[in-house]
Every structure is written in C-alpha cells, then in structure tokens.
Amino acid sequence: MKLTKILGFTALAVLAFGQARAQVEVTSGELRLGHERFLDDVVVNGDEEVLSRTSLEGALEIGIGYSGLGAQFDLGLDRAGLLDDTGVNATVHGLYSLPDGVTLGVFAGHDGFGSLDSTHYGIEGAFDTGLISGEGYLMGLADDVSGSAFGIQGGYRVLPSLQVGARLDRANLDDGADASRFGLTADYDVTESFSIGAELGVADGDLPGIGSADEGYIGVQATVGFGDKGGSSFDRRGLLDILPGF
C-alpha cells in the first residue's frame, strides 16, 4: 500500500503539472540485466553458500515540455541466491535538467523483500560532460529498516567506447546495523544503444533479516538504452542496491 501511494501520488502530480504547463512525453530510458556475487562462499548452518543477486531493472524518463522538468520511474526485480527469494525495488524521481549536462533530482521509493520492507527518499545530482561523468545522493530510510545512506560514483572515458570509474555507498542504520560497498567499474559501448559493464570491489554489511558479510565481490551488467540520452538520468536507488549479494 505504501508503494502504491508513492507511485500513484507522484505520477498524478507529474501528469497534472505537465498538462498545466506543457506536453508530457517519453524522452529516454533503459533496461538492465545484471548479476553480482561475493568472491568467497560463506558458511551458513555448517554449509558453504553463495551470496549473490541477479537483477532485472528498467527505467523510463519523461520530459515536461521545454521547461527542463521531468520524472524518472524505476522498477527492479532482485533474485537472491542464498535466500532463494525475489525482492522488488520501485522508485520515482522528480528531476530538473540544467545546462551543460547537469541534472538535479529528488526521489522516493520502496524496497520489498520477503517480510522486509524499506522506504527510501532523498536528493540527488548528476553531471555528464561527455568525458567525465558523476552522480551522488543522500537518502533516508524508514519502515523495517530505518537510518540514512549516501553514495557517490564517477567515470572517465579513456576511449570513445570505454569508461572506467568507481563507486562508494554507505548506509548507517538506527539499530546499529550497517552496509557499505566500494567498487571499481568499467563500461564498454558495444553499439550506440547497447553496453556491457563490470565491477570489482569490497562490501560489508550486517542487516536484520538478511545477515552479515564482509567480502570481495564481482558484478556484470548488460544495458540497453534508448531515447535522447540513451539511458536514464539517475541510477537505481534503495537499500537493495547497496548489497551485492544475499
């Protein structure tokens, strides 16, 4: 119900404002398929288990006339290797595009995984000069998992079709639990609309209902983009995005 209210109220507000000001149209989006896993198995109840996460994510962005205002709608499905369950992530972003490739935004959304529910909200910003790109956010967490989180990532295009970079995410939760990840990233443009990426890093966390881990991880992702930007303005948000595997 909380997720339905967030999505419904935000969509109605964007559409109503757009009809009052200008025409609303789909401008860009992307579809992503990825898999992440910890490099070493963990021992659970005497057995070695793999902490992994397979994700199918989609993002759709709309523009409101020529005002620079818009919205981005994200939906993701996560399949956990250890817990053998599927989680859902949904987020709505309100965004404002400035000159020179700068975008500012606010967001609200919900993560649901089994009996665990987490609502997230916050502010964000991104820029892309063509050679250098970056993105950052500040996020609050509520419901079953409450606290705060932040993240920053950036990339440098070393070749016309190759970008390398890094990301850092950190969540501090009210009950003393926490989660963090630091990774080095690389993305290769196979075509104008299709790219593949890889990430290698270290993650640690201790979350209620999920468990704890402190290991290196690896991830791969394939992305298909379309529209004016060939993708979305902002990356996925939420607690599940900070966890490479569970």
Side-chain angles (χ1 to χ4, degrees):
M1 179 60 70
K2 294 177 182 178
L3 175 58
T4 303
K5 288 182 178 180
I6 291 173
L7 295 176
F9 289 155
T10 305
L12 287 175
V14 170
L15 292 176
F17 182 80
Q19 291 175 353
R21 292 290 303 273
Q23 182 180 1
V24 176
E25 62 177 353
V26 175
T27 58
S28 58
E30 61 186 34
L31 183 65
R32 303 181 294 269
L33 177 63
H35 180 76
E36 299 176 320
R37 62 156 291 168
F38 283 90
L39 295 176
D40 295 325
D41 296 344
V42 298
V43 178
V44 179
N45 297 325
D47 298 323
E48 289 191 349
E49 302 284 355
V50 176
L51 291 178
S52 65
R53 177 167 67 98
T54 301
S55 303
L56 177 62
E57 309 165 15
L60 186 68
E61 191 169 315
I62 64 172
I64 303 175
Y66 301 100
S67 62
L69 293 173
Q72 178 183 319
F73 302 89
D74 299 340
L75 180 63
L77 299 176
D78 298 280
R79 185 68 180 178
L82 174 62
L83 302 183
D84 193 25
D85 202 350
T86 300
V88 179
N89 168 279
T91 304
V92 179
H93 310 251
L95 55 91
Y96 181 61
S97 299
L98 298 170
D100 301 323
V102 176
T103 304
L104 304 177
V106 296
F107 62 90
H110 187 81
D111 283 321
F113 193 89
S115 60
L116 180 67
D117 289 292
S118 175
T119 298
H120 52 271
Y121 52 89
I123 59 176
E124 56 195 347
F127 73 92
D128 190 347
T129 67
L131 182 64
I132 301 174
S133 62
E135 186 174 343
Y137 68 89
L138 295 173
M139 181 170 67
L141 298 165
D143 293 332
D144 293 340
V145 180
S146 59
S148 62
F150 71 90
I152 186 170
Q153 64 186 61
Y156 178 75
R157 193 161 291 277
V158 295
L159 296 172
S161 58
L162 177 63
Q163 179 175 267
V164 297
R167 66 175 289 180
L168 171 66
D169 300 89
R170 173 74 183 179
N172 297 300
L173 308 178
D174 292 343
D175 58 2
D178 60 74
S180 65
R181 69 187 286 172
F182 172 75
L184 301 177
T185 62
D187 293 279
Y188 180 75
D189 298 329
V190 181
T191 68
E192 291 185 356
S193 60
F194 177 67
S195 65
I196 55 176
E199 182 174 341
L200 179 65
V202 178
D204 67 82
D206 184 5
L207 297 176
I210 293 180
S212 62
D214 183 4
E215 299 287 347
Y217 71 89
I218 189 171
V220 293
Q221 186 177 75
T223 303
V224 177
F226 64 89
D228 298 338
K229 299 178 181 178
S232 58
S233 293
F234 295 112
D235 205 348
R236 164 179 168 160
R237 299 284 179 255
L239 181 63
L240 293 180
D241 186 54
I242 303 178
L243 306 173
F246 48 92

